[in-house]
Amino acid sequence: MRQSLASVPLAATLLFADPLGAADPPGGIARLGSDRFRQANRIDAIAYSPDGKQLATADGDSIVIWDAADGRRLCTVPVGNHEFFALRYSSDGRTLFAAATAGGLTRLCRIDPAGGKLLDSRYLLTDMSNGRFSRDGSWLAIRNQEGNLMQAVDTSTGEGVWTDREKVELSSGYAWRADGKALAGATVTGRVRLYESQTGKIQHEYRLEGGPAWSMAFSPDGKDLVAEVGVPDRVTRFDAETGKVKWKHDTQRADDLAFTPDGKAVFYWGTAGGHRGPSRWRWLDAATGKPLGLEMDTEYGHAVALRLDGKVLAVGGLTGLISQWDLTTRKRLDASADPPEAVTDLRFSADGTKIRGWARGWYEWDSKSGQETRLTPKLDVDANEPIAVSHDQKWLGRFVADATADPGKSPQRFELVDLKTGKRERILAGIERDDRFRFLPDGQLLVVRESDLSLFDPAFGRRAFQIETGPGRTVGVSVDGTAATAVSRSDNGAWVTRWDLTTGKKAGDWTGTVTRQGVLERVEALGGGLSPDGRLLMIQFTHVESEYQRSVWIGVFDARTGRKVSEWEPRQSMRPVFSPDGRSVVCLSGGTAGIDLREVITGGRRAESFGSRAVDACRFRPDGKALVISTRPGPVEIWDLPGPHFDRTAARDPTNGDQVWTALAAPDAAEAFAAIRRLQALPTEGVVFLKSRVNMPAGPTAEWVAERVKSLDAALYRDREKATAELARVGDVIEGQLRDALATAPTEGRERLKALLTKAETMTPDKLRVVRACEVLEGIGSAEAREVLATWAKGPPGAGLTREAAESLARLKERGK
């Protein structure tokens, strides 16, 4: 679906403003896949219609009504500045009640679900509250923020019928009886009261042994209550009139307690027994409280709704996804958000026409039509179970219980399942539950442990090789699976070791640091830190400046040599996503902070904040001119990275051409990025323009350089000084040769070489222009652009232009251009 620019929050219209006076509007946004059962905000409230055909959810300050059978969005009802905490349909389904806080007040909204209209919003309480509707929507119980006031509201009139206010005991749990004629309320001291709905008269009152009662629910016949009681927590069933306890079941957590419709079982979201463990839906025998051995592992539900027939549970998640679960089979229904979770590990096909993403299985989207295809068969795995599936959809890796394990050993083992047959084919030894694992593009299984990493061949179940990385190090592996790095703190910087994963051999090590002052406390490679081809490594440095202040800086290094490329202070915690050419990096932040697009060579900001929505993952298109983003409601969207278009007369108009030429060397990364995009917008003129403007540097011969490098350790001081001065004058052109000489230079020569390299590596406007010129031509990628790059790559071997052009050509060749 293609939207007009007026309908989308394109940050690009602001962030790529034309500093050079150019013209055309930027590109738009394309949404791929379906937004069925997907909303932009977390789901704070959810409810079924009486006939089970609709689901209503709270989406920020709007109410969304969905078709429960297929997830279609039927209508959206905006209600400005309201934060909803409870929803319920009337018994006839003609009215949807929504309780909310707005401006510090508690309000009750009535909505026409058929027409998708807000009927009214009524004031209830001068306080912020939470609450719960009765089964038929006739009543709303609200508890104020302090917890010392309970009020019953008649939803037909919107009037508070009665109020119970306590000065000492604060409210904890509460529940409506199925017939709506009684409300049970508990306090943190364990006192329970049964109120008559119409009058608020206390029909029964008693104290529970063990402390406060939370997450309360009536039995279908209204005679008993279950609740999460005390510390440590217990699921407790007791007589609703007397409080007499019938049974207790130890647990550490028991949310959303409910009876099955027949009253024979109780189920809840929480842990099993009196020990900590994974939270899941668990069933207890209603008569005895004993576990029935039934579990259901759903996505974490911020809000849940039980269909009125008690057969289906709807789960509304923190990321705005809705899933429905059959309570008989305890399986996820097809009428749920698909993909079932936020998309990660986004990848384009080489030609950019397909996008693949991971969401508990591999999905693929056509970048033009938006069509979604499930590549991986439906997997019979739990929602929170760690799994990996190979890119060719042949292997599923997962943990299974090992009943034969010896006491004290891992109770689980790692298996490989053939997805075509569904049969277990291999058991892999030496993989633990806390290990990180994923399949690489070549089909091998990567396993990263605390002190080592291994590659397994799934076809034979054998370890190809194992690398000892050492404890306490951040290990990253490039997307293509060819390189790995391990990063740890040295005395004053980062100690980095690099391996070639095609051979399993160590490729070298180095140390790097940033110029920020303070005591270095921690270093880590963010999100692995490696660019897709493994050539660049991003490291975060945390320094202690005082007892109360720490500073965080980012350093980008050449992963092979340790040469520092740039450094900057990040806006907040982030994960790096490099462009295919390694010249841009998206700093992907958590929450709703959007993204921050940086220029790698300077660390300067090219653009930021593509909307204010949460971004879970992103990846550059192979040509680097667009981003695919996993965001809500998603599943994925394509964002152009447009700049103002290069005027067709720019190559001929000296004034305009001079402006573009100046912008390419600008210290402002956003201004330079606009110039880069202008040149790439008209490839023919852009190539001609750069070919005529960029001059090949003239460098000394290799013999001349070698002679002076040797003189850096000459016997006479004046000879050493003379050689240093002569090398400094051409340092920009011979940087590569100076670096090569560093490994074998004597002590004084080494120190002089380091000083020369520091000066040569200093970024100047002319150097910036050279790097950006190569970026322009690599982005154009035409035969004419490659011809110019090939000419530049034949320059002096140590020159920056030679190196940048050669690397651009190599990447174009890898991409098949």
Side-chain angles (χ1 to χ4, degrees):
M1 177 175 65
R2 194 78 175 179
Q3 298 184 0
S4 68
L5 290 176
S7 67
V8 294
L10 264 181
T13 59
L14 299 176
L15 297 171
F16 293 97
D18 183 7
L20 307 175
D24 296 350
I29 181 175
R31 180 173 296 153
L32 311 184
S34 167
D35 65 354
R36 298 189 178 198
F37 275 148
R38 310 174 80 92
Q39 66 182 43
N41 301 285
R42 72 182 187 184
I43 299 172
D44 289 321
I46 185 170
Y48 274 103
S49 61
D51 60 9
K53 293 182 179 180
Q54 291 182 357
L55 265 172
T57 59
D59 185 0
D61 58 0
S62 299
I63 300 296
V64 181
I65 298 176
W66 311 82
D67 186 309
D70 60 17
R72 286 181 299 115
R73 185 186 293 252
L74 300 177
C75 65
T76 300
V77 184
V79 188
N81 301 318
H82 281 53
E83 296 181 20
F84 296 96
F85 57 79
L87 296 171
R88 181 69 70 171
Y89 281 82
S90 60
S91 58
D92 60 8
R94 295 180 179 179
T95 304
L96 174 63
F97 299 107
T101 59
L105 306 177
T106 301
R107 305 187 69 91
L108 174 65
C109 299
R110 294 189 309 135
I111 295 167
D112 173 9
K117 296 180 180 179
L118 174 67
L119 301 176
D120 57 35
S121 176
R122 303 180 183 184
Y123 157 77
L124 296 179
L125 192 67
T126 310
D127 201 346
M128 299 180 68
S129 307
N130 58 34
R132 179 178 294 183
F133 286 99
S134 62
R135 179 184 176 93
D136 63 358
S138 298
W139 295 94
L140 168 66
I142 53 176
R143 179 180 61 191
N144 69 347
Q145 195 170 34
E146 289 184 44
N148 64 355
L149 179 146
M150 178 79 74
Q151 185 178 84
V153 177
D154 183 335
T155 58
S156 64
T157 63
E159 299 293 333
V161 176
W162 55 263
T163 300
D164 188 7
R165 185 184 293 272
E166 287 285 344
K167 293 183 179 180
V168 179
E169 295 184 279
L170 302 181
S171 172
S172 55
Y174 50 104
W176 288 101
R177 204 165 65 191
D179 60 10
K181 295 181 179 181
L183 172 70
T187 68
V188 294
T189 63
R191 187 181 65 176
V192 178
R193 286 176 170 175
L194 251 64
Y195 301 93
E196 200 274 327
S197 300
Q198 291 283 356
T199 65
K201 179 182 177 181
I202 299 174
Q203 298 174 322
H204 304 280
E205 183 174 352
Y206 47 85
R207 287 191 182 274
L208 287 174
E209 191 178 317
W214 311 91
S215 186
M216 302 175 69
F218 273 96
S219 60
D221 60 11
K223 295 181 178 180
D224 287 347
L225 282 161
V226 289
E228 178 187 16
V229 178
V231 179
D233 297 338
R234 296 180 176 88
V235 178
T236 303
R237 179 171 182 171
F238 52 96
D239 186 286
E241 295 185 357
T242 66
K244 182 180 179 181
V245 174
K246 297 188 174 181
W247 51 256
K248 298 177 182 179
H249 172 72
D250 289 348
T251 180
Q252 289 290 335
R253 181 180 185 180
D255 296 337
D256 296 306
L257 276 160
F259 279 86
T260 56
D262 59 11
K264 294 182 178 180
V266 173
F267 61 101
Y268 66 94
W269 170 266
T271 57
H275 59 85
R276 296 190 180 277
S279 288
R280 293 174 177 163
W281 290 97
R282 304 178 186 277
W283 276 255
L284 305 176
D285 183 280
T288 64
K290 294 181 178 180
L292 294 174
L294 305 177
E295 295 182 358
M296 185 171 72
D297 188 16
T298 67
E299 297 89 0
Y300 174 71
H302 192 61
V304 297
L306 188 63
R307 204 168 69 184
L308 266 61
D309 61 8
K311 295 181 180 180
V312 174
L313 184 75
V315 177
L318 289 169
T319 58
L321 305 186
I322 300 168
S323 58
Q324 297 186 93
W325 300 78
D326 187 314
L327 294 181
T328 302
T329 63
R330 301 178 301 286
K331 299 294 184 183
R332 193 177 196 271
L333 297 177
D334 289 340
S336 302
D338 192 37
E341 60 185 32
V343 179
T344 61
D345 205 4
L346 287 164
R347 302 173 186 217
F348 273 97
S349 60
D351 59 6
T353 61
K354 303 287 185 182
I355 300 163
R356 180 175 292 185
W358 172 263
R360 298 200 62 73
W362 292 105
Y363 287 75
E364 190 172 78
W365 297 270
D366 186 288
S367 60
K368 292 184 179 179
S369 69
Q371 181 179 354
E372 178 179 293
T373 303
R374 180 196 290 266
L375 297 180
T376 308
K378 290 186 179 180
L379 306 174
D380 185 20
V381 295
D382 291 337
N384 298 301
E385 179 181 342
I387 62 171
V389 174
S390 60
H391 293 252
D392 59 6
Q393 290 82 56
K394 177 175 175 57
W395 299 105
L396 163 68
R398 62 185 293 184
F399 286 99
V400 293
D402 184 4
T404 65
D406 296 332
K409 292 189 176 181
S410 173
Q412 295 185 321
R413 54 185 180 176
F414 190 86
E415 70 172 10
L416 290 175
V417 177
D418 188 323
L419 284 176
K420 293 182 179 179
T421 64
K423 295 181 180 179
R424 179 190 301 168
E425 294 289 336
R426 308 274 185 274
I427 295 292
L428 300 185
I431 303 177
E432 301 294 335
R433 186 81 179 190
D434 293 335
D435 297 345
R436 292 182 291 127
F437 56 91
R438 66 180 173 93
F439 283 94
L440 298 176
D442 63 2
Q444 294 188 95
L445 178 69
L446 168 71
V447 180
V448 179
R449 309 186 68 179
E450 183 178 355
S451 300
D452 61 71
L453 68 83
S454 300
L455 287 181
F456 289 84
D457 182 345
F460 300 98
R462 293 196 297 261
R463 182 184 276 113
F465 57 77
Q466 184 175 20
I467 295 172
E468 295 293 331
T469 59
R473 309 190 75 185
T474 306
V475 177
V477 177
S478 62
V479 173
D480 61 8
T482 61
T485 57
V487 179
S488 63
R489 183 170 64 89
S490 63
D491 291 339
N492 61 352
W495 174 35
V496 178
T497 305
R498 186 172 181 269
W499 289 273
D500 182 339
L501 293 187
T502 61
T503 63
K505 294 181 179 180
K506 183 177 177 180
D509 49 30
W510 47 266
T511 58
T513 188
V514 292
T515 56
R516 187 69 176 176
Q517 298 299 311
V519 178
L520 184 61
E521 180 180 61
R522 185 173 66 253
V523 298
E524 58 182 320
L526 298 171
L530 282 168
S531 59
D533 58 7
R535 295 180 182 180
L536 294 172
L537 177 64
M538 181 178 287
I539 302 175
Q540 177 174 290
F541 297 79
T542 302
H543 291 85
V544 179
E545 296 185 345
S546 70
E547 183 179 356
Y548 306 103
Q549 185 173 357
R550 282 165 172 74
S551 64
V552 176
W553 279 73
I554 298 297
V556 180
F557 300 85
D558 185 312
R560 297 160 295 183
T561 66
R563 177 177 64 89
K564 184 166 65 178
V565 177
S566 63
E567 62 180 40
W568 72 85
E569 186 175 15
R571 182 174 52 186
Q572 58 183 342
S573 61
M574 43 76 72
R575 289 178 285 133
V577 179
F578 286 90
S579 61
D581 61 6
R583 302 186 191 277
S584 295
V585 61
V586 164
C587 301
L588 182 60
S589 303
T592 57
I595 64 176
D596 185 13
L597 182 66
R598 297 269 181 169
E599 181 179 45
V600 170
I601 194 67
T602 65
R605 181 173 288 119
R606 288 184 155 180
E608 65 177 328
S609 190
F610 283 64
S612 59
R613 294 170 293 167
V615 178
D616 298 297
C618 72
R619 185 59 59 91
F620 284 85
R621 198 167 63 189
D623 61 8
K625 297 177 183 178
L627 285 172
V628 58
I629 300 176
S630 169
T631 183
R632 305 171 203 163
V636 293
E637 298 171 355
I638 297 179
W639 287 84
D640 289 335
L641 287 180
H645 290 231
F646 181 51
D647 191 338
R648 290 184 178 276
T649 63
R652 307 182 189 93
D653 182 346
T655 302
N656 202 354
D658 287 344
Q659 290 178 3
V660 173
W661 184 245
T662 300
L664 282 178
D668 185 333
E671 179 183 352
F673 193 47
I676 289 170
R677 288 301 190 220
R678 288 183 64 176
L679 290 169
Q680 290 177 337
L682 287 170
T684 302
E685 291 89 339
V687 171
V688 171
F689 179 79
L690 291 177
K691 183 178 180 180
S692 65
R693 293 272 184 151
V694 176
N695 297 318
M696 287 281 292
T701 64
E703 292 76 13
W704 185 92
V705 174
E707 182 179 336
R708 278 144 187 84
V709 167
K710 185 177 180 180
S711 295
L712 292 177
D713 204 52
L716 296 178
Y717 176 76
R718 66 171 180 268
D719 291 340
R720 300 196 296 272
E721 284 289 289
K722 180 182 177 183
T724 301
E726 291 178 342
L727 290 171
R729 282 194 289 271
V730 292
D732 291 355
V733 181
I734 62 170
E735 179 185 336
Q737 292 159 276
L738 295 179
R739 188 173 297 280
D740 291 341
L742 190 63
T744 57
T747 303
E748 182 171 351
R750 177 186 294 270
E751 294 305 314
R752 288 178 177 270
L753 281 171
K754 286 181 179 179
L756 287 167
L757 282 169
T758 298
K759 182 178 179 180
E761 290 171 357
T762 301
M763 191 55 61
T764 64
D766 287 337
K767 289 183 180 180
L768 277 177
R769 184 183 285 120
V770 162
V771 173
R772 291 162 175 167
C774 290
E775 179 177 357
V776 171
L777 295 183
E778 184 176 347
I780 293 172
S782 64
E784 293 77 13
R786 284 186 281 112
E787 183 179 342
V788 175
L789 286 171
T791 300
W792 292 351
K794 294 176 183 177
L801 177 61
T802 306
R803 181 182 65 249
E804 293 290 339
E807 291 183 355
S808 288
L809 277 175
R811 283 189 291 267
L812 287 171
K813 184 177 181 180
E814 289 172 4
R815 296 201 295 269
K817 287 192 174 183

